[in-house]
Amino acid sequence: DQQVKQNSPSLSVQEGRISILNCDYTNSMFDYFLWYKKYPAEGPTFLISISSIKDKNEDGRFTVFLNKSAKHLSLHIVPSQPGDSAVYFCAATPETQGGSEKLVFGKGTKLTVNP
Amino acid sequence: DVKVTQSSRYLVKRTGEKVFLECVQDMDHENMFWYRQDPGLGLRLIYFSYDVKMKEKGDIPEGYSVSREKKERFSLILESASTNQTSMYLCASSFVGAIQETQYFGPGTRLLVL
């Protein structure tokens, strides 16, 4: 059973426009959410995260929104740039203090930003 | 900067061979992970370790084993490689004790089993 779902395998946007990547989760124990970006032939790199005590976290052109009641989060990229073209993975985990928990990843969304 | 290195970027092996994939991290992280990435399937956890000599099965451990003799090194072993183990293998590490569970990934090893 997939606990983290990214229902859009791919997304194509024009340079300068907004990119919105969506992620849904089913496990109500998840309290911490992360987005990773992956270029071909490279490992994923951490992009932005959000704790369930917030509904928004912003870092430059990247903003993550969390709707806990809907078990939904989204990543907004504004403005989109060709260098943003990559696969984006959503991940979730129960928030822990002193423990170690696995991240549960979605299947990824391939974003293509066209010049 | 956290650095996670993997011993090979590309590897070609034959069916039945024993394959070792090595991963080293330099940030004294307690947790280390092995994933495989396949198109349409995302990142799937094979094994993880939260301490030296400790290991836990992930979601797809069959056909794999791991070894963690030193804190900085985590090895993935394919006892008898098969063609369905052709994949991109990613190692990651993370720090325990902080609320943030950010994992830092290595560059990946693309393995082709013929």
Side-chain angles (χ1 to χ4, degrees):
Chain A
D1 183 30
Q2 219 185 328
Q3 298 184 69
V4 177
K5 298 178 185 178
Q6 292 178 258
N7 292 321
S8 298
S10 63
L11 176 68
S12 184
V13 300
Q14 284 300 119
E15 181 178 5
R17 307 295 291 268
I18 184 170
S19 295
I20 301 176
L21 295 93
N22 293 304
C23 179
D24 297 291
Y25 62 96
T26 57
N27 189 338
S28 58
M29 296 299 292
F30 288 152
D31 269 352
Y32 197 77
F33 305 90
L34 306 90
W35 285 93
Y36 282 81
K37 176 180 178 179
K38 185 182 184 299
Y39 292 117
E42 292 184 16
T45 53
F46 169 73
L47 189 58
I48 193 168
S49 62
I50 188 166
S51 168
S52 61
I53 61 174
K54 295 184 175 181
D55 55 16
K56 177 182 172 182
N57 189 25
E58 194 171 351
D59 184 2
R61 296 185 297 112
F62 303 90
T63 303
V64 56
F65 294 92
L66 175 62
N67 182 335
K68 203 174 176 188
S69 61
K71 293 191 177 68
H72 176 83
L73 62 155
S74 61
L75 174 69
H76 292 212
I77 307 173
V78 183
S80 302
Q81 299 173 354
D84 296 328
S85 298
V87 177
Y88 290 79
F89 291 100
C90 173
T93 184
E95 208 164 281
T96 61
Q97 294 187 13
S100 61
E101 293 291 343
K102 300 180 291 183
L103 288 178
V104 179
F105 284 89
K107 292 186 177 181
T109 296
K110 183 177 181 180
L111 173 66
T112 302
V113 180
N114 301 304
Chain B
D1 264 2
V2 175
K3 194 164 185 187
V4 180
T5 57
Q6 295 183 229
S7 50
S8 305
R9 293 301 302 272
Y10 301 95
L11 215 48
V12 180
K13 295 292 181 181
R14 297 212 172 269
T15 301
E17 278 193 77
K18 191 168 187 175
V19 182
F20 292 87
L21 303 181
E22 302 283 338
C23 175
V24 177
Q25 50 93 5
D26 66 357
M27 280 301 291
D28 204 35
H29 283 170
E30 293 88 350
N31 293 338
M32 295 189 75
F33 306 83
W34 274 106
Y35 295 89
R36 63 179 281 178
Q37 185 202 1
D38 301 287
L41 297 177
L43 293 170
R44 294 183 293 168
L45 181 64
I46 304 171
Y47 266 97
F48 69 102
S49 168
Y50 50 87
D51 203 352
V52 175
K53 297 193 185 294
M54 304 300 287
K55 60 184 179 184
E56 293 280 342
K57 291 180 180 179
D59 301 317
I60 50 163
E62 296 79 18
Y64 303 95
S65 62
V66 289
S67 171
R68 191 154 180 214
E69 297 296 319
K70 294 184 178 181
K71 190 175 185 180
E72 68 271 19
R73 189 179 297 269
F74 192 35
S75 303
L76 180 69
I77 303 153
L78 287 65
E79 295 289 343
S80 177
S82 63
T83 55
N84 63 13
Q85 293 178 309
T86 291
S87 186
M88 167 74 99
Y89 289 87
L90 294 159
C91 174
S93 70
S94 72
F95 175 64
V96 169
I99 293 175
Q100 206 165 292
E101 290 290 340
T102 305
Q103 292 183 14
Y104 297 88
F105 284 83
T109 296
R110 187 164 290 283
L111 173 67
L112 173 62
V113 182
L114 300 173

